[in-house]
């Protein structure tokens, strides 16, 4: 397995400002029952929908522009708050994919992120989302995305169904994902988040 990219802060000042605002929310409490970490696909997921899907008070810690290494850096910065959530959702990788990172690099980073999450906050359940269909970035193909998602599924299978559960975004959005996407063919709309929320609820109920 190729080494993961080392943790790194957000590249933009706006990202750092938003990260600090999220840290302030986490510090202010109350401690959430569920947390969501990742990029803009997480950031756009309504907390109310996450709460209904998980059955827990949810805190959305998503940050637009996050790469796997950025989420790892932000988790390290927030680790001391130790909210001890009962569930953590991780959905990050589409920007790393667009950067040209291969499946081995992304999966290695996500494996490290999950291990760091467990060490910091000890959630009994971690849900790892695959990368939803998106307009292919230059130099990347649909086959590349499917290979990445297959590697993510293999990572979840190694951990066991109850330790690390896979949220299959392709299955949730259906054979034609475009009704769930914004016009940019990357971000999700209300229909897309409703589909993912339903799939997340079903995945949790299924054990």
């Amino acid at each position: 397995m190729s080494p993961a990219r080392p943790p790194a802060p957000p590249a933009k000042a706006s990202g750092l400002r938003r990260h600090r605002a999220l840290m302030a929310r986490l510090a202010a409490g109350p401690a959430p029952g569920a947390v969501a970490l990742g990029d803009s696909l997480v950031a756009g997921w309504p907390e109310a929908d996450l709460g209904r899907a998980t059955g827990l008070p949810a805190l959305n810690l998503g940050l637009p522009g996050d790469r796997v290494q950025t989420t790892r850096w932000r988790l390290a910065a927030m680790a001391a708050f130790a909210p001890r959530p009962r569930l953590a959702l991780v959905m990050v990788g589409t920007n790393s994919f667009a950067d040209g990172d291969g499946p081995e690099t992304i999966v290695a980073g996500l494996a490290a992120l999950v291990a760091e999450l467990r060490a910091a906050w000890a959630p009994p359940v971690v849900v790892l989302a695959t990368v939803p269909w998106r307009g292919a970035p230059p130099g990347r193909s649909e086959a590349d995305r499917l290979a990445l998602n297959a590697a993510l599924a293999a990572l979840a299978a190694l951990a066991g169904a109850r330790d690390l559960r896979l949220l299959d975004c392709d299955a949730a959005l259906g054979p034609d994902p475009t009704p769930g996407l914004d016009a940019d063919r990357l971000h999700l709309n209300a229909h897309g988040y409703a589909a993912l929320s339903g799939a997340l609820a079903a995945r949790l109920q299924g054990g």
Side-chain angles (χ1 to χ4, degrees), residues 75-88:
L75 174 63
M78 296 185 288
F81 295 117
R84 294 293 187 268
R86 291 169 56 190
L87 180 145

Side-chain angles (χ1 to χ4, degrees), residues 8 24 42 116 120 150 156 193:
V42 165
E116 291 154 0
Y193 283 117

